Amino acid sequence: MDFKEIEKKAMELIPAECKLTKVEAEGLDVVIYLKDLHAFYANDQLIRKLAGALRKRVLIRADPSALKPPEESLIAIREIVPADAGVSEVRFTPEFGEVMIEALKPGLVVGKGGGTLKAIVERTGWAPQVQRQPTMASSTVKGVRASLQKEAGTRKKFLQNLGKKICGPILKSDYVKVTALGGFQEVGRSCALVETPHSRILIDCGINPETFEPTKAYPYLSAMKLELDKIDAVVLTHAHLDHCGFVPYLFAYGYDGPVYCTPPTRDLMVLLQMDYINLAARQKEGAAPYGVKDIQKQLAHTICFDYGEVMDITPEVKLTFYNAGHILGSAQVHLHIGDGLHNLVFTGDIKYGFTRLTDQAATQFPRLESLFMESTYGGHNDIMPSRFDTEKRLTELVKSVISRKGRVLIPVFSVGRSQELMMVMEEFAARNPDLNFPVYIDGMVLEASAIHTAYPEYLRHNIQRRVLSNDSPFESKIFVPAKGERKDIVEGDPCVILAPSGMMTGGPVLDYFRMMAEDEKNALFFVGYQSSLSVGRKIQRGLKEIPVMGDDGRSNSIKINMEVDTVEGFSGHSDRNQLMHFAKAIRPSPQRIFTLHGDENKCEDLARSISRQFNVECRAPMDLDSIRLK
Ligand SMILES: [Zn+2]
Ligand SMILES: [Zn+2]
């Protein structure tokens, strides 16, 4: 439906006494401005009727002339919202006629059936937006929200332009094509271009975090002579750098369009990109290919929505996110193109199996012809032990180290596996109160965990309930932020230390390792993927001595006397069996499947097995391949 039709329908449906002043397309939404909100809310069926008729998300706002002054409105809000909602911040954004209310208990700000919100809007005119205050302080969440507020003017202009484009005339497309730009037959720099004659959409735009060499680290955008200003949308599956690490570069070099993702992905992505800039600056290859201001620009252009919401992102393409079970906010991307011309799904990284943090990946889609699925553990030997056995083995190992008065060091990725391990450790400590050991949390693990407490609705039901009832497992007293000297922790009582980076390529884990390695009472346990080039892999494979640069600039070597072991089964990726079960469970059954995000042999092995067992066309494209789907 183009904008003229939308405007006409809205005018027909809105009763005259509401005094409609303007209809506007703003990003993916339609905004209707009224002078009399009382008249509008007197009919509680009206909003549903409008959304149904316009087939868009409809926002009702007061005409600017009907907004009460902020000071007066603030007093009204304080009166209307119950005190136990724990309101921590109220911010007015005149550009959008909105008031942001941040609270510990957003449900109480919303009220029964939205009653409290309605009372606020009727009394003040301002449209309330409720945000959850994380139960753990998070500088990222705070920074992101403040930056969105500060950039409201820019954001408004951007959304208005985008709204006009999306509500533009619908041109008929006769083909759909996908081009592999990175992450095909490899892990890292995930990026694919979905193209029709009228739409160009990038799915993910990552870097390979293991290397800083541009030809290997970045996707093939320039090789394909891709004009960044001709891209209509960037859609992100999740916040890991191999999927989102290159997005700010697009903004640095001419992209000016929207980035679509879930709300947790937005916040986690900013955290990881900022860290990447710092990390890259310390490399011999030099700085990251973008700066902080590009991350900010990306943020101002980011549009979030939840799983299951169907959104028009170009006049002919509808996007819906589905749970991927991999990390907080991770999504599978479903595109419905050209009113039934073609439907495709990019799984991103998926976990089709039990984890403590999130539900397993969704397998039911409304329509589906082409499926692009990850294959990290797609080789026929990539079978992991059950989660039950995995947890049992890790906790037994930890118990023996603590009992002999040693300390356990576990290298972790800040986002995903570390929170998963925290849940395991919390339960283990509760069951073994006599062991009485702290778990030190170092580096970004703490900040990433704090972001989890802002989005409990994306977590498994039992954890969600605990966060909501002020008993967040992330804040259990066994977790101690490593704020003081690391030396004191290493020389102190028996403990467990969770520290990034996960493959020991840098970060606080190396600091601990240097101080702990020579004491045979200590232990180093690997729980995550170690790439072939990483320091972690070398130690895992039995390296007994490792050269290090001392503080004095001279190189020393450290003897590795500590216990070294690997516990498999904590991965946020599906193992081979889970991938096969996922492919089998997908409904409707796709006409063809493409494997990606795995080493060459894994992608091919999985593709062969799928086509043989399920009698479906399946293959593993390479980077730079273009595939016509329709
Ligand atoms: Zn991932
Ligand atoms: Zn990945």
Side-chain angles (χ1 to χ4, degrees):
M1 200 182 312
D2 72 15
F3 185 70
K4 281 269 162 292
E5 273 175 83
I6 289 175
E7 199 175 28
K8 192 167 149 250
K9 274 206 174 143
M11 285 175 169
E12 281 166 17
L13 281 166
I14 303 261
E17 63 268 26
C18 300
K19 301 193 185 109
L20 186 147
T21 56
K22 196 168 47 171
V23 181
E24 219 171 51
E26 184 184 282
L28 308 185
D29 308 319
V30 170
V31 189
I32 298 172
Y33 290 88
L34 307 172
K35 272 193 175 155
D36 193 334
L37 292 173
H38 290 275
F40 181 85
Y41 286 111
N43 178 351
D44 52 5
Q45 294 304 314
L46 210 47
I47 186 83
R48 200 173 318 147
K49 239 193 235 166
L50 274 167
L54 306 182
R55 295 165 79 188
K56 290 262 181 197
R57 209 159 56 173
V58 177
L59 307 178
I60 301 296
R61 288 192 197 139
D63 184 82
S65 67
L67 292 173
K68 294 265 158 48
E71 309 76 52
E72 194 182 313
S73 304
L74 185 61
I75 294 168
I77 290 168
R78 295 271 180 216
E79 275 172 25
I80 297 167
V81 178
D84 47 353
V87 173
S88 50
E89 203 160 350
V90 177
R91 282 196 291 234
F92 294 87
T93 319
E95 290 87 346
F96 293 99
E98 286 177 350
V99 57
M100 196 281 291
I101 304 174
E102 190 177 285
L104 264 176
K105 295 184 181 161
L108 292 179
V109 184
V110 174
K112 210 171 169 195
T116 310
L117 290 186
K118 205 166 140 187
I120 295 172
V121 75
E122 288 197 273
R123 227 169 105 188
T124 67
W126 295 86
Q129 302 294 311
V130 191
Q131 285 178 331
R132 181 182 301 281
Q133 187 201 342
T135 58
M136 285 166 83
S138 160
S139 53
T140 309
V141 172
K142 212 176 156 143
V144 164
R145 288 176 183 175
S147 170
L148 285 172
Q149 163 102 8
K150 203 174 125 234
E151 298 290 325
T154 323
R155 192 169 161 81
K156 171 94 182 180
K157 263 189 230 127
F158 153 68
L159 290 174
Q160 282 175 327
N161 287 333
L162 179 67
K164 272 187 212 129
K165 263 175 86 177
I166 291 173
C167 296
I170 300 169
L171 303 162
K172 223 171 152 46
S173 285
D174 54 359
Y175 69 80
V176 179
K177 176 176 126 176
V178 168
T179 304
L181 296 174
F184 287 73
Q185 294 200 8
E186 64 177 348
V187 177
R189 56 166 163 179
S190 285
C191 189
L193 175 69
V194 179
E195 237 177 321
T196 74
H198 310 294
S199 307
R200 262 163 239 89
I201 298 163
L202 274 192
I203 311 288
D204 283 340
C205 195
I207 48 145
N208 184 339
E210 283 169 41
T211 165
F212 287 89
E213 216 232 288
T215 55
K216 295 197 181 110
Y218 311 149
Y220 290 98
L221 299 177
S222 42
M224 296 307 282
K225 307 229 167 11
L226 197 61
E227 293 169 89
L228 298 184
D229 58 342
K230 301 260 161 62
I231 297 171
D232 297 296
V234 176
V235 180
L236 301 180
T237 58
H238 67 288
H240 280 148
L241 284 176
D242 60 320
H243 298 261
C244 71
F246 208 53
V247 180
Y249 171 94
L250 304 176
F251 286 97
Y253 291 92
Y255 181 59
D256 205 22
V259 175
Y260 299 109
C261 61
T262 64
T265 296
R266 177 193 63 196
D267 296 5
L268 290 170
M269 150 173 102
V270 170
L271 172 70
L272 292 177
Q273 290 164 343
M274 293 294 235
D275 183 58
Y276 175 68
I277 290 186
N278 293 330
L279 201 72
R282 293 198 294 272
Q283 302 301 317
K284 61 179 187 305
E285 287 87 352
Y290 53 81
V292 176
K293 70 170 195 324
D294 303 310
I295 296 180
Q296 279 161 346
K297 192 168 176 201
Q298 158 199 274
L299 186 55
H301 287 71
T302 299
I303 298 177
C304 296
F305 41 90
D306 296 323
Y307 300 143
E309 292 189 75
V310 183
M311 294 293 180
D312 293 298
I313 57 165
T314 80
E316 57 167 355
V317 179
K318 288 186 200 308
L319 159 67
T320 315
F321 289 129
Y322 289 84
N323 179 31
H326 173 61
I327 59 167
L328 183 79
S330 64
Q332 306 183 65
V333 169
H334 180 273
L335 297 181
H336 172 85
I337 302 171
D339 211 14
L341 176 69
H342 203 71
N343 293 271
L344 50 95
V345 165
F346 276 83
T347 63
D349 295 354
I350 39 165
K351 181 68 175 179
Y352 191 57
F354 174 84
T355 70
R356 285 181 175 258
L357 234 43
T358 52
D359 292 326
Q360 69 176 9
T363 51
Q364 312 290 314
F365 303 96
R367 291 179 62 174
L368 176 61
E369 284 92 35
S370 300
L371 173 70
F372 291 77
M373 69 182 283
E374 72 128 317
S375 332
T376 319
Y377 293 107
H380 58 276
N381 291 326
D382 296 331
I383 311 292
M384 284 175 213
S386 78
R387 259 313 279 269
F388 181 80
D389 292 342
T390 301
E391 292 189 6
K392 192 157 164 256
R393 188 159 129 68
L394 179 71
T395 50
E396 275 167 6
L397 284 170
V398 168
K399 196 170 182 171
S400 78
V401 180
I402 301 286
S403 307
R404 68 170 184 244
K405 304 274 179 253
R407 290 150 210 94
V408 177
L409 178 61
I410 306 181
V412 286
F413 298 97
S414 327
V415 177
R417 283 326 83 194
S418 41
Q419 286 74 35
E420 193 69 27
L421 280 177
M422 284 169 79
M423 300 301 99
V424 176
M425 285 298 141
E426 199 233 357
E427 192 186 285
F428 172 62
R431 286 204 182 146
N432 296 272
D434 49 309
L435 284 178
N436 193 21
F437 65 96
V439 177
Y440 288 100
I441 307 293
D442 206 326
M444 284 182 350
V445 178
L446 199 65
E447 182 57 26
S449 304
I451 296 175
H452 282 63
T453 70
Y455 301 102
E457 59 276 25
Y458 283 83
L459 296 166
R460 274 185 90 83
H461 197 69
N462 56 330
I463 303 183
Q464 186 181 125
R465 214 176 41 226
R466 288 187 58 188
V467 174
L468 294 178
S469 57
N470 225 355
D471 170 35
S472 156
F474 302 104
E475 288 158 272
S476 158
K477 59 179 185 309
I478 72 154
F479 300 121
V480 183
K483 292 242 166 82
E485 289 287 323
R486 290 180 183 138
K487 194 160 169 280
D488 296 340
I489 295 174
V490 169
E491 289 171 359
D493 292 332
C495 63
V496 173
I497 303 162
L498 303 181
S501 74
M503 297 192 269
M504 300 183 71
T505 41
V509 71
L510 288 183
D511 226 14
Y512 288 107
F513 175 71
R514 273 185 218 115
M515 292 187 275
M516 291 169 69
E518 293 188 351
D519 185 345
E520 64 267 16
K521 283 209 297 294
N522 293 337
L524 173 68
F525 296 142
F526 292 104
V527 296
Y529 178 72
Q530 304 298 312
S531 83
S532 49
L533 300 172
S534 63
V535 181
R537 173 70 72 94
K538 288 184 192 129
I539 299 171
Q540 195 179 30
R541 286 281 159 89
L543 188 78
K544 284 287 165 224
E545 199 164 320
I546 190 163
V548 287
M549 196 66 88
D551 292 336
D552 53 2
R554 278 194 228 159
S555 92
N556 293 315
S557 72
I558 291 181
K559 283 207 172 51
I560 306 175
N561 300 327
M562 74 198 303
E563 178 187 353
V564 176
D565 210 332
T566 300
V567 181
E568 278 184 72
F570 279 114
S571 177
H573 293 277
S574 306
D575 76 350
R576 159 72 175 220
N577 287 339
Q578 291 165 345
L579 287 171
M580 290 299 283
H581 288 145
F582 175 82
K584 194 177 175 188
I586 288 278
R587 289 293 175 277
S589 302
Q591 290 165 1
R592 52 180 109 66
I593 300 177
F594 301 94
T595 56
L596 59 149
H597 197 290
D599 295 342
E600 181 186 337
N601 57 338
K602 315 240 169 187
C603 291
E604 283 177 347
D605 190 333
L606 184 67
R608 260 195 312 273
S609 302
I610 288 177
S611 55
R612 208 178 301 143
Q613 281 195 31
F614 307 136
N615 199 17
V616 56
E617 185 191 332
C618 184
R619 63 190 179 90
M622 290 169 72
D623 282 340
L624 299 180
D625 277 351
S626 270
I627 310 148
R628 183 168 172 178
L629 299 176
K630 182 79 190 178

